Amino acid sequence: MLDNADLGKLIVRLTLGGLLLFHGIAKLLNGIGFIEGQLASHGLPTILAYGVYIGEVIAPLMVILGYQTRIGALIIVFNMIVAIALVHGHQLLTLSSNGGWALELQGFFLFTAVALIFLGPGRYKLKN
């Protein structure tokens, strides 16, 4: 018999990890020049841009697989805080043209990752 709480945690993990992984794949295919530019414009070393591969490829895979889920989710939280600070800070208190919060996607990634830190992976995961 399926445990609804564990199934719910799996759905949350697959949704967060899967949707964020698309962003990581796009960066693998198209490069991280935009992020390097954002870092440079804030006076930060551009080498830090490579951290996006950890935050948008490695961590989502950890979350999807349920391997060290809480650590993967913590990395995603850090990644999203940096993304909001570097790129989206000016939108923090604004609405989009269709009336939603301008940072809905970033907020989804951030707060869902926070929830996973507290929830853990559930039963359906890789053994670790």
Side-chain angles (χ1 to χ4, degrees):
M1 178 188 260
L2 290 176
D3 180 356
N4 286 341
D6 287 321
L7 185 58
K9 291 173 187 177
L10 175 64
I11 292 167
V12 170
R13 285 190 3 246
L14 294 176
T15 303
L16 172 63
L19 292 176
L20 187 54
L21 186 58
F22 284 120
H23 291 263
I25 291 169
K27 288 174 181 74
L28 285 171
L29 296 175
N30 302 312
I32 54 173
F34 174 77
I35 298 165
E36 290 173 323
Q38 289 295 315
L39 287 164
S41 74
H42 286 83
L44 297 167
T46 58
I47 190 82
L48 296 175
Y50 289 94
V52 77
Y53 293 127
I54 297 169
E56 294 185 11
V57 176
I58 304 290
L61 288 172
M62 292 170 70
V63 166
I64 288 168
L65 296 173
Y67 177 77
Q68 299 292 327
T69 301
R70 287 185 166 109
I71 294 171
L74 184 62
I75 293 168
I76 291 170
V77 166
F78 178 77
N79 186 72
M80 292 316 303
I81 289 170
V82 170
I84 290 168
L86 287 179
V87 181
H88 303 287
H90 67 284
Q91 298 172 298
L92 198 56
L93 300 175
T94 61
L95 297 177
S96 68
S97 60
N98 62 359
W101 183 32
L103 298 182
E104 285 176 347
L105 183 61
Q106 295 81 5
F108 167 79
F109 290 148
L110 173 64
F111 295 115
T112 304
V114 169
L116 274 179
I117 291 170
F118 290 104
L119 290 171
R123 169 185 285 165
Y124 308 111
K125 63 179 176 143
L126 286 182
K127 300 291 182 207
N128 52 351

